[in-house]
Amino acid sequence: MELGVLELTPFILIAVALIALAILFTFIPVTLWISALAAGVKVGIFTLVGMRLRRVIPSRVINPLIKAHKAGLKVTTNQLESHYLAGGHVDRVVNALIAAHRANIELTFERAAAIDLAGRNVLEAVQMSVNPKVIETPFIAGIAMDGIEVKALARITVRANIDRLVGGAGEDTVIARVGEGVVSTIGSSDSHKQVLENPDSISHTVLAKGLDAGTAFEILSIDIADVDIGKNIGAILQTDQAEADKNIAQAKAEERRAMAVAREQEMVARVQEMRAHVVEAEAEVPKALAEALRSGKMGVMDYMNYKNINADTGMRDAISKLSKEKDETDDKKPKK
């Protein structure tokens, strides 16, 4: 039995050694260390172990370091590791530094790291510095002084400004400023025909305003790609104004009519009131006659004369009405 254990001891030792080597190669990136030494990058094995302990993936730092060393850049392990711990994209920053170095663009690691941590794509910025980007605006509508709407489509050629990438405004600001300049230029034109005949006047005027101030770009050119005619805004506004004036006039006329109707009704009520006063005054006449007869100021014969005069007056009124009606009837009969 003891002999069997002795025979298995070498196999057990070999298994333990293999497990130990597997753990060692898993925790310590020996292959990565060998690759760095082969590339001429001096990285200590304990440095890689320290990265593991600091929860840094060694390949995310060593591979960009090898790339930077081969490109002739002076970048240290501590710089790349600190940028990785800050949440930056180490490989992108190294690629941007290599691209800037090849294009003779002055870009330090600190500047590239700051741009990357600011949330901007530093590699894309370097590429845009070498190869300018064209930004196309939507159709921008402006109204000339003659009231005609003019729509312009602009293409903006911009180049990234490395020094203003941190804190500089983006593409939306550039598009907004160009749109404002286009609208202002079209609005200052006497006629829409001037814009159609000379559309490059828009680009010259807008470009001279220095719209790239405070932005992360440098505007190289502004080209008007298309110009189109829109609506006759002036005529539409005049039509709307005329319609509004008509409605106001109608409202005022209706107000005057309502006031006239109200005044007429007031006069009718006033007439009825006056008639009521007349009837009230006539009702006092018999009372006055009775009082005169009672006090002896008026005799019976005087009263009878008063009645005769009233009767005579009534008869005269009746005769005049009959005569008037007869004349009107004769006027209506056809003449022979």
Side-chain angles (χ1 to χ4, degrees):
M1 190 70 179
E2 294 179 356
L3 184 60
V5 173
L6 293 175
E7 292 177 352
L8 292 175
T9 300
F11 297 101
I12 296 173
L13 293 176
I14 293 172
V16 172
L18 291 176
I19 294 173
L21 288 175
I23 295 174
L24 180 64
F25 279 97
T26 302
F27 188 75
I28 303 175
V30 178
T31 56
L32 187 62
W33 176 65
I34 296 172
S35 298
L37 291 179
V41 178
K42 296 181 180 180
V43 179
I45 191 68
F46 293 104
T47 302
L48 300 178
V49 175
M51 289 183 185
R52 288 288 192 186
L53 295 176
R54 289 187 292 270
R55 295 183 180 181
V56 175
I57 302 175
S59 60
R60 299 286 181 87
V61 175
I62 300 303
N63 289 332
L65 182 62
I66 295 172
K67 191 188 303 183
H69 179 74
K70 287 297 182 181
L73 300 177
K74 295 180 180 180
V75 181
T76 64
T77 307
N78 290 331
Q79 288 177 324
L80 298 180
E81 187 177 353
S82 63
H83 187 64
Y84 177 86
L85 290 174
H89 301 83
V90 178
D91 193 64
R92 183 187 298 172
V93 170
V94 172
N95 290 335
L97 291 173
I98 295 173
H101 180 68
R102 293 288 187 269
N104 293 326
I105 297 174
E106 185 178 355
L107 179 64
T108 62
F109 177 82
E110 288 75 15
R111 170 68 66 178
I115 295 172
D116 185 63
L117 292 177
R120 295 186 181 274
N121 192 329
V122 62
L123 178 59
E124 182 181 345
V126 173
Q127 292 173 348
M128 193 183 300
S129 297
V130 178
N131 185 19
K133 180 180 179 181
V134 177
I135 303 173
E136 185 172 309
T137 66
F139 270 102
I140 303 170
I143 303 174
M145 290 186 180
D146 58 356
I148 304 299
E149 181 185 29
V150 180
K151 298 179 180 179
L153 177 66
R155 289 193 176 95
I156 314 165
T157 304
V158 296
R159 179 172 57 197
N161 192 326
I162 303 296
D163 295 332
R164 292 191 304 212
L165 276 177
V166 178
E171 294 183 10
D172 294 338
T173 302
V174 174
I175 293 174
R177 290 182 180 180
V178 171
E180 180 182 356
V182 171
V183 172
S184 176
T185 305
I186 294 175
S188 61
S189 301
D190 295 332
S191 173
H192 69 283
K193 296 180 180 179
Q194 295 180 355
V195 181
L196 296 178
E197 293 173 357
N198 192 16
D200 58 342
S201 61
I202 300 177
S203 59
H204 293 324
T205 305
V206 175
L207 193 60
K209 293 183 177 181
L211 302 180
D212 54 0
T215 65
F217 304 100
E218 177 186 354
I219 298 179
L220 300 179
S221 67
I222 300 175
D223 304 308
I224 303 302
D226 189 13
V227 179
D228 195 7
I229 298 297
K231 300 179 181 178
N232 191 340
I233 303 298
I236 294 175
L237 292 177
Q238 291 178 359
T239 302
D240 294 341
Q241 184 64 43
E243 184 68 20
D245 294 340
K246 184 190 74 172
N247 294 334
I248 293 173
Q250 289 179 347
K252 290 182 178 180
E254 182 64 22
E255 181 182 0
R256 290 193 298 269
R257 188 192 68 80
M259 293 178 64
V261 172
R263 183 64 178 171
E264 181 183 1
Q265 296 299 322
E266 290 178 0
M267 292 298 101
V268 171
R270 184 68 176 169
V271 169
Q272 295 297 329
E273 183 180 357
M274 293 297 101
R275 287 179 179 176
H277 288 312
V278 171
V279 173
E280 183 179 359
E282 289 177 350
E284 296 294 329
V285 173
K287 294 180 181 180
L289 291 176
E291 182 61 28
L293 290 172
R294 189 180 301 111
S295 61
K297 294 180 181 181
M298 183 177 180
V300 177
M301 294 303 296
D302 294 331
Y303 179 72
M304 294 304 296
N305 289 332
Y306 169 74
K307 296 292 287 182
N308 289 334
I309 291 172
N310 284 340
D312 185 51
T313 302
M315 181 182 66
R316 291 173 184 273
D317 290 339
I319 292 172
S320 64
K321 288 181 180 180
L322 291 174
S323 178
K324 185 176 180 180
E325 291 177 357
K326 184 176 182 302
D327 293 339
E328 291 178 355
T329 304
D330 292 341
D331 291 337
K332 290 181 181 180
K333 289 181 179 180
K335 295 181 181 181
K336 296 181 181 180

